[in-house]
């Protein structure tokens, strides 16, 4: 809804050219111009420089990416629509730089070597932001193709594909993505300990190949360290895993879906392993940034889609920084336990003076939640150690909370 309101406001101010599914004439012109993108390679990735295929995108997520000059960045996603029951999807894209342009085409599944252009925007005029709704009446792998106007420049952009406002049961659940559950951002294992269960989406109902799902595990927030820990073949539409004992609560579990022995259908649903329903912070897996910033992951209680978090100095009894985590991923729940990746970046200066709350090496810090009454509940404590010189005596890592 936030993206829709922003789109409506921007249109009213006439700062960008706006495209909406209700403007049939404008969309028809855009679709005709986007015909240049309707003949991708058969598998959308034959090594050509101008077709750069990214990770699979799930409906309800957003990505931050880049398309090079003369090229197109491709975002595959899976949708099970029919003419009788189309799936309404809202696509938005925004260039980060004010002078950059962005164009977007939505292509249907490959049929007889060609993909139909289902919707498009940004082909007829140079714009920095587009938003439109499209009723997907086909079932299979849909491609979102992103580039700059005329492919003339590089463009860094934010892209989202979500259920259109008011879609209700017509979108979501089993009708989008190759997995009906879990969705990206979900907690897994909470109701069944170390058993993780997955359900295939409707788009695979008429499959002719066996489907297998790979389970990859990594510490939170570092997917590049993921290792495959299990593989399971679907029985009907069900897939089950027993998570190995060396996978810890709070680790990220990525489910990769592929045809057995064949192509990858979805490059990964990233979820968080939580074998118990409790809140906690992974103070053993902190990512330190430049100077005083840091990132901490874990599980917290969400209310009305948000969890207010704080980084506090237990040594000095003061708040270092705050962060609000939002339940934005399609697998997240607005009320109850949910995964968070918190980024704490305290101000370095206040009124021209060094911020006195900046953390110091060797200091005992905690990360915790702030409830509706303003009370603070620590999720975990650790020794702050952000020294890169190797000259300090602090070691960092988890510590007992007072």
């Amino acid at each position: 809804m936030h993206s829709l309101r922003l789109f409506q406001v921007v249109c009213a101010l006439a700062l960008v050219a706006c495209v909406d599914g209700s403007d049939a004439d404008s969309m028809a012109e855009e679709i005709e111009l986007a015909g240049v993108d309707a003949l991708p390679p058969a598998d959308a990735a034959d090594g050509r420089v101008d077709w750069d295929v990214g990770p699979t995108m799930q409906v309800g997520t957003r990505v931050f990416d880049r398309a090079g000059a003369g090229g197109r960045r491709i975002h595959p996603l899976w949708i099970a629509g029919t003419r009788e029951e189309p799936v309404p999807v809202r696509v938005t894209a925004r260039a980060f730089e004010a002078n950059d342009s962005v164009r977007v085409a939505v292509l249907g599944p490959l049929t007889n070597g060609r993909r139909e252009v289902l919707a498009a925007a940004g082909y007829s005029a140079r714009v920095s932001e587009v938003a439109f709704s499209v009723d997907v009446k086909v079932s299979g792998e849909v491609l979102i193709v992103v580039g700059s106007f005329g492919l003339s420049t590089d463009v860094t952009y934010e892209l989202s594909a979500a259920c259109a406002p008011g879609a209700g049961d017509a979108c979501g659940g089993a009708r989008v993505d190759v997995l009906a559950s879990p969705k990206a951002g979900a907690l897994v294992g909470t109701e069944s300990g170390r058993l993780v269960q997955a359900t295939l989406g409707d788009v695979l109902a008429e499959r002719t190949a066996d489907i297998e799902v790979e389970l990859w595990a990594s510490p939170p927030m570092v997917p590049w360290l993921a290792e495959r820990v299990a593989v399971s073949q679907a029985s009907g539409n069900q897939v089950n895993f027993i998570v190995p004992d060396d996978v810890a609560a709070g680790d990220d579990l990525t489910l990769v879906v592929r045809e057995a022995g064949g192509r990858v259908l979805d490059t990964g649903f990233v979820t968080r392993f939580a074998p118990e329903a409790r809140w906690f912070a992974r103070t053993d897996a902190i990512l330190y940034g430049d100077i005083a910033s840091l990132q901490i992951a874990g599980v917290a209680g969400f209310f009305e889609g948000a969890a207010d978090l704080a980084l506090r100095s237990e040594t000095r009894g003061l708040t270092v920084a705050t962060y609000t985590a939002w339940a934005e991923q399609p697998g997240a729940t607005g009320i109850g336990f949910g995964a968070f990746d918190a980024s704490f970046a305290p101000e370095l200066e206040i009124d021209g003076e060094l911020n006195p709350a900046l953390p110091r090496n060797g200091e005992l810090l905690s990360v915790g939640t702030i409830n509706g009454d303003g009370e603070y509940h620590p999720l975990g404590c650790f020794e702050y150690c952000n020294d890169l010189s190797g000259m300090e005596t602090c070691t960092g890592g988890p510590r007992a909370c007072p």
Side-chain angles (χ1 to χ4, degrees), residues 22-114:
S22 61
D23 189 345
D25 292 338
S26 175
M27 179 60 76
E29 179 186 4
E30 296 283 354
I31 289 175
E32 181 178 359
L33 292 172
V36 297
D37 290 328
L39 290 170
D43 62 355
D46 66 350
R48 282 167 35 187
V49 174
D50 59 339
W51 281 84
D52 183 14
V53 181
T56 310
M57 187 175 182
Q58 289 105 35
V59 173
T61 62
R62 66 182 61 199
V63 298
F64 303 89
D65 216 321
R66 176 184 178 276
R72 305 161 178 86
R73 183 66 166 165
I74 313 302
H75 301 274
L77 71 161
W78 294 81
I79 299 176
T82 66
R83 290 192 176 278
E84 296 74 23
E85 295 182 296
V87 176
V89 176
R90 182 78 174 173
V91 177
T92 63
R94 175 179 62 87
F96 278 121
E97 300 297 331
N99 295 326
D100 284 350
S101 62
V102 65
R103 78 181 196 190
V104 178
V106 179
L107 307 184
L110 191 67
T111 303
N112 297 324
R114 183 180 179 85

Side-chain angles (χ1 to χ4, degrees), residues 315-339:
T315 303
R316 291 180 288 156
L318 53 80
T319 297
V320 175
T322 60
Y323 181 86
T324 298
W326 295 95
E328 296 179 315
Q329 294 275 62
T333 57
I335 297 180
F337 289 109

Side-chain angles (χ1 to χ4, degrees), residues 217-219 222-227:
S218 69
V222 286
W224 54 91
L225 297 180
E227 297 182 354

Side-chain angles (χ1 to χ4, degrees), residues 22 39 44 73 110 125 176 185 196 211 214 248 258 269 280 402:
S22 61
L39 290 170
R73 183 66 166 165
L110 191 67
V176 297
V196 171
I211 300 296
E214 301 175 348
R258 67 187 311 147
F269 294 76
F280 61 90

Side-chain angles (χ1 to χ4, degrees), residues 50-225:
D50 59 339
W51 281 84
D52 183 14
V53 181
T56 310
M57 187 175 182
Q58 289 105 35
V59 173
T61 62
R62 66 182 61 199
V63 298
F64 303 89
D65 216 321
R66 176 184 178 276
R72 305 161 178 86
R73 183 66 166 165
I74 313 302
H75 301 274
L77 71 161
W78 294 81
I79 299 176
T82 66
R83 290 192 176 278
E84 296 74 23
E85 295 182 296
V87 176
V89 176
R90 182 78 174 173
V91 177
T92 63
R94 175 179 62 87
F96 278 121
E97 300 297 331
N99 295 326
D100 284 350
S101 62
V102 65
R103 78 181 196 190
V104 178
V106 179
L107 307 184
L110 191 67
T111 303
N112 297 324
R114 183 180 179 85
R115 291 181 182 268
E116 178 186 3
V117 182
L118 306 182
Y123 283 77
S124 62
R126 181 183 179 87
V127 295
S128 61
E129 182 173 350
V130 298
F132 56 86
S133 295
V134 52
D135 287 339
V136 180
K137 302 176 181 179
V138 290
S139 182
E141 184 186 37
V142 173
L143 302 183
I144 300 182
V145 183
V146 183
S148 62
F149 179 65
L151 306 181
S152 58
T153 63
D154 296 345
V155 56
T156 302
Y157 58 87
E158 173 187 349
L159 172 71
S160 67
C163 292
D169 294 338
C171 181
R175 303 201 66 196
V176 297
D177 310 326
V178 297
L179 289 184
S181 66
K183 298 295 189 181
L187 295 183
V188 295
T190 302
E191 298 180 357
S192 51
R194 305 194 76 83
L195 174 65
V196 171
Q197 300 173 299
T199 304
L200 301 184
D202 290 348
V203 74
L204 296 180
E206 303 298 326
R207 65 186 183 275
T208 57
D210 290 333
I211 300 296
E212 63 183 20
V213 181
E214 301 175 348
L215 190 67
W216 293 69
S218 69
M221 305 181 294
V222 286
W224 54 91
L225 297 180

